[in-house]
């Protein structure tokens, strides 16, 4: 009798241990969302009720960064869990292979029902010819002016809510999937929703290759912005700008004059676009609540990169300044601490191991990131010592004419370029200098040496820069030869270009230091 009873309990225990309910995972990834808006004081400038909801219910990372401030390389890092230089995701055309294993693939193989909707944008071959050619020709003696002048555009009226229709359509599909599929599942699920907002819209009047330089919204969303709190950022004089920043300003068509009203309008419209994205996040959260799934679902909100919105006389991303590189990261769900603000620097490569940790799946193979659960879980059996005190971001694409590497450690942000010698580095104390207007690299030579040594221990950045330059030359040459006699006409119409040597002021000739080394386009 005793043996029968023992066998009964062993059997029941085995069944219960196998039927442990794993949490569902929902990630909403926005595009170009300034992470500083997810906490005070930035959150006060615009009403973001659902981001605030996640912040109160869960944990907010105050120092979360992209691993590359542009769409495809950033998302490639997030999906693969590996740094950009390891996957060689150099620009918006060169990213992951189509058969690369993502964390969503791992979840699916481990019994999760998976669904991906909206903007994915992490495999090679996407984006326009213009975008890739601009990346390939970033360090030659002429430049292709990339963007239209940034403008704001008012549409609709106080009843106009759905402006980015494509995003709303995908959000509707996500909510529908939660109601009709997820609510009926016997297994855990993972849902990913990628949004385009608040990425600026294409400026259609300038043609198909003009890029996105229109900040568009309606009176309804503009009413969510506290206009009196919208700041006009300080700019350095053009002659005092770092040469790479100057190049970026010029190629983004921001070197001409802007009135304070123009700048404030662009920023106001950008914040209104963030409010619309927040509402989409809210629809997903509401669907989870309505189906009773929210209590057992980990919800993650983040973005691929930020948006400068006229900080540093630039819009778009492609920069290591906070507006471009700082992303939101909010997590809520079972076991996650409520109302917690985490100062630990983290980045998008940390999401891969985090998701696997949530699902109870051991990581296989090398990952660049580390799980962020030790900082936010109520359980005490995690060790915070496994996570480094630094984050790495790198950039190799268009609008910046040198490969760029950023290391954030404590209150320091160190930015190195190219081979580490031909382009001067930058060093900012982001605690004392929140506007990042004072490059103190010459004042703190010991800090520079220490951080450069740490950076080189993480990535051999001169070697990576050389590899990118060779890739750019090879890919451009192949493309040019494929056009034959049509090359001159195609590149002339790609976007209008200027003579770099003729149009750039004499006080910016320092840029020639590395421009003159790349004569291959003329051959």
């Amino acid at each position: 009798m005793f043996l029968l009873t023992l066998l009964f309990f062993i059997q029941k225990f085995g069944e219960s241990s196998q039927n442990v309910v794993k949490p569902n995972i929902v990630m909403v990834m926005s595009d170009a969302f300034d992470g500083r808006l997810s906490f005070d004081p930035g959150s006060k400038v615009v009403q973001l009720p659902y981001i605030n909801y996640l912040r109160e219910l869960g944990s907010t990372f105050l120092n979360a960064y992209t691993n590359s401030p542009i769409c495809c390389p950033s998302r490639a890092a997030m999906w693969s869990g590996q740094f950009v230089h390891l996957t060689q995701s150099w620009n918006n055309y060169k990213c992951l292979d189509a058969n690369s294993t993502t964390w969503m693939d791992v979840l699916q193989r481990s019994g999760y029902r998976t669904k991906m909707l909206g903007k994915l944008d992490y495999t090679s071959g996407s984006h326009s010819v213009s975008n890739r050619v601009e990346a390939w020709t970033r360090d030659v003696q002429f430049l292709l002016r990339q963007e239209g002048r940034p403008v704001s555009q008012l549409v609709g009226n106080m009843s106009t809510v759905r402006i980015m229709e494509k995003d709303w359509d995908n959000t509707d599909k996500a909510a529908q999937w939660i109601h009709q599929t997820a609510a009926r599942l016997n297994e855990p699920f993972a849902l990913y929703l990628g949004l385009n907002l608040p990425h600026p819209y294409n400026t259609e009047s300038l043609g198909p290759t003009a890029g996105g330089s229109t900040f568009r919204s309606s009176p309804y969303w503009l009413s969510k912005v506290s206009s009196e709190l919208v700041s006009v950022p300080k700019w350095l004089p053009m002659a005092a700008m770092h040469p790479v920043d100057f190049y970026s300003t010029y190629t983004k068509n921001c070197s001409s004059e802007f009135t304070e009203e123009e700048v404030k309008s662009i920023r106001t419209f950008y914040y209104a676009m963030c409010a619309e994205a927040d509402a989409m996040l809210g629809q997903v959260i509401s669907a989870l609540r309505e189906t009773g799934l929210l209590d057992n679902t980990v919800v993650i909100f983040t973005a691929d990169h930020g948006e400068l919105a006229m900080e540093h006389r630039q819009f778009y991303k492609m920069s290591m300044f906070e507006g471009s590189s700082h992303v939101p990261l909010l997590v809520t769900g079972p076991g996650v601490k409520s109302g917690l603000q985490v100062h630990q620097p983290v980045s998008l490569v940390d999401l891969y191991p985090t998701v696997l940790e949530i699902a109870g799946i051991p990581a296989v193979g090398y990952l660049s990131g580390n799980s962020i659960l030790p900082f936010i879980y109520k359980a005490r059996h995690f060790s915070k010592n496994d996570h480094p005190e630094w984050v790495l971001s790198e950039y190799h694409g268009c609008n910046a004419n040198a490969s760029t590497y950023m290391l954030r450690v404590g209150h320091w942000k160190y930015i190195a370029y190219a081979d580490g010698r031909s382009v001067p580095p930058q060093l900012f104390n982001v605690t004392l200098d929140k506007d990042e207007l004072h490059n103190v690299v010459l004042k703190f030579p010991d800090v520079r040496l220490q951080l450069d040594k740490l950076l080189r221990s993480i990535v051999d950045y001169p070697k990576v820069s050389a590899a990118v330059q060779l890739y750019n030359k090879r890919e451009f040459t192949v493309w040019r030869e494929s056009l034959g006699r049509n090359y001159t006409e195609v590149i002339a119409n790609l976007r209008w270009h200027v003579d770099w040597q003729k149009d750039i002021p004499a006080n910016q000739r320092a840029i020639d230091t590395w421009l003159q080394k790349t004569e291959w386009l003329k051959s």
Side-chain angles (χ1 to χ4, degrees):
M1 184 67 179
F2 173 76
L3 290 175
L4 290 175
T5 304
L6 182 61
L7 289 172
F8 172 79
F9 278 108
I10 291 174
Q11 182 181 9
K12 284 298 181 184
F13 177 79
E15 290 177 358
S16 61
S17 64
Q18 292 172 9
N19 294 328
V20 172
V21 178
K22 292 185 176 182
N24 308 307
I25 301 169
V26 172
M27 181 184 294
V28 178
M29 173 170 260
S30 185
D31 192 318
F33 202 109
D34 185 344
R36 299 169 299 175
L37 296 178
S38 64
F39 52 86
D40 293 336
S43 61
K44 290 182 170 61
V45 75
V46 56
Q47 297 174 31
L48 303 170
Y50 293 100
I51 287 179
N52 291 340
Y53 175 81
L54 293 184
R55 186 173 66 207
E56 294 172 5
L57 197 66
S59 298
T60 306
F61 285 84
L62 304 180
N63 295 298
Y65 288 88
T66 179
N67 298 108
S68 188
I70 193 169
C71 301
C72 289
S74 170
R75 292 167 188 265
M78 188 276 290
W79 282 110
S80 69
Q82 294 188 323
F83 289 137
V84 166
H85 64 272
L86 297 178
T87 61
Q88 298 185 359
S89 302
W90 302 136
N91 54 55
N92 265 355
Y93 183 70
K94 173 67 171 66
C95 285
L96 300 182
D97 294 334
N99 61 351
S100 297
T101 300
T102 69
W103 52 260
M104 191 68 93
D105 295 323
V106 177
L107 290 179
Q108 185 179 36
R109 295 170 187 171
S110 302
Y112 270 73
R113 178 73 69 89
T114 60
K115 183 69 173 179
M116 296 189 292
L117 292 164
K119 187 171 185 177
L120 299 177
D121 219 14
Y122 64 90
T123 55
S124 294
S126 60
H127 286 266
S128 66
V129 172
S130 175
N131 191 282
R132 63 185 106 143
V133 172
E134 288 152 4
W136 296 338
T137 60
R138 63 191 181 130
D139 52 2
V140 297
Q141 297 287 348
F142 72 85
L143 61 89
L144 295 167
R145 173 162 284 174
Q146 293 213 12
E147 316 298 344
R149 179 184 171 94
V151 295
S152 56
Q153 183 183 57
L154 182 66
V155 296
N157 50 45
M158 280 300 292
S159 64
T160 306
V161 176
R162 295 193 166 207
I163 301 170
M164 171 49 81
E165 289 289 351
K166 185 175 181 180
D167 277 353
W168 280 111
D169 181 57
N170 286 319
T171 302
D172 290 341
K173 290 178 181 177
Q176 184 180 39
W177 189 84
I178 291 171
H179 279 281
Q180 297 182 358
T181 301
R184 294 180 171 87
L185 293 175
N186 293 320
E187 68 265 36
F189 68 86
L191 169 65
Y192 170 87
L193 174 62
L195 303 177
N196 289 281
L197 278 181
H199 190 291
Y201 294 81
N202 288 345
T203 304
E204 297 171 358
S205 62
L206 298 179
T209 64
S213 57
T214 296
F215 294 80
R216 181 183 301 151
S217 196
S218 71
Y220 176 84
W221 295 113
L222 287 169
S223 70
K224 311 297 182 184
V225 182
S226 300
S227 57
E228 70 279 5
L229 298 180
V230 178
S231 63
V232 176
K234 300 175 183 177
W235 291 348
L236 290 174
M238 295 285 286
M241 294 175 72
H242 185 276
V244 173
D245 296 331
F246 179 90
Y247 178 93
S248 296
T249 291
Y250 196 86
T251 56
K252 291 176 182 177
N253 204 359
C254 291
S255 56
S256 57
E257 293 300 316
F258 287 84
T259 65
E260 285 195 5
E261 290 74 16
E262 283 181 291
V263 173
K264 191 168 184 177
S265 177
I266 290 169
R267 293 173 65 77
T268 302
F269 274 71
Y270 169 69
Y271 296 140
M273 293 160 68
C274 291
E276 187 178 358
D278 177 80
M280 297 172 189
L281 169 66
Q283 186 166 319
V284 174
I285 293 174
S286 297
L288 292 170
R289 186 190 300 115
E290 291 160 4
T291 53
L293 295 169
L294 186 59
D295 288 343
N296 193 45
T297 301
V298 175
V299 179
I300 302 171
F301 177 74
T302 189
D304 58 351
H305 51 73
E307 164 63 54
L308 286 164
M310 300 310 293
E311 293 183 13
H312 301 278
R313 204 185 186 105
Q314 297 180 43
F315 76 109
Y316 247 3
K317 53 274 187 180
M318 302 125 169
S319 165
M320 294 304 173
F321 288 126
E322 288 290 285
S324 169
S325 63
H326 200 139
V327 298
L329 181 56
L330 301 99
V331 185
T332 188
V336 176
K337 296 177 183 178
S338 298
L340 181 68
Q341 292 190 329
V342 183
H343 292 270
Q344 167 73 27
V346 295
S347 63
L348 293 180
V349 291
D350 294 326
L351 292 179
Y352 192 119
T354 299
V355 168
L356 296 192
E357 182 105 49
I358 292 169
I361 302 170
V364 177
Y366 175 78
L367 295 175
S368 299
N370 301 82
S371 173
I372 62 174
L373 293 190
F375 304 103
I376 61 176
Y377 255 29
K378 296 174 183 176
R380 297 289 183 180
H381 57 275
F382 296 108
S383 173
K384 295 183 181 181
N385 297 326
D386 294 335
H387 205 290
E389 294 299 316
W390 50 264
V391 293
L392 170 71
S393 188
E394 55 190 294
Y395 184 68
H396 308 284
C398 50
N399 279 112
N401 55 340
S403 286
T404 306
Y405 307 85
M406 184 271 281
L407 201 61
R408 174 70 200 275
V409 184
H411 56 260
W412 294 113
K413 178 186 286 188
Y414 177 65
I415 308 173
Y417 298 92
D419 57 6
R421 299 187 306 273
S422 57
V423 186
Q426 291 173 292
L427 179 67
F428 298 100
N429 184 326
V430 294
T431 300
L432 300 178
D433 179 22
K434 295 185 183 300
D435 295 324
E436 297 174 285
L437 295 175
H438 304 285
N439 178 14
V440 295
V441 71
L442 297 180
K443 293 183 179 180
F444 297 94
D446 292 343
V447 174
R448 172 193 173 178
L449 289 174
Q450 179 183 358
L451 293 182
D452 193 75
K453 181 180 180 181
L454 175 59
L455 177 60
R456 290 172 187 264
S457 72
I458 300 166
V459 52
D460 186 349
Y461 70 87
K463 182 178 179 180
V464 172
S465 298
V468 174
Q469 195 171 35
L470 287 174
Y471 164 83
N472 288 341
K473 177 179 179 179
R474 181 179 68 250
E475 293 300 314
F476 179 83
T477 302
V478 170
W479 174 77
R480 181 178 61 181
E481 291 176 351
S482 71
L483 295 176
R485 295 181 179 180
N486 294 326
Y487 164 72
T488 302
E489 180 180 358
V490 171
I491 199 168
N493 291 303
L494 199 57
R495 282 196 186 141
W496 66 276
H497 61 273
V498 297
D499 187 317
W500 180 255
Q501 297 292 335
K502 178 180 178 182
D503 287 19
I504 299 302
N507 60 2
Q508 294 297 328
R509 296 297 186 190
I511 300 174
D512 291 347
T513 303
W514 71 94
L515 280 180
Q516 290 175 353
K517 297 187 300 180
T518 53
E519 296 288 330
W520 53 268
L521 185 64
K522 295 181 177 180
S523 62

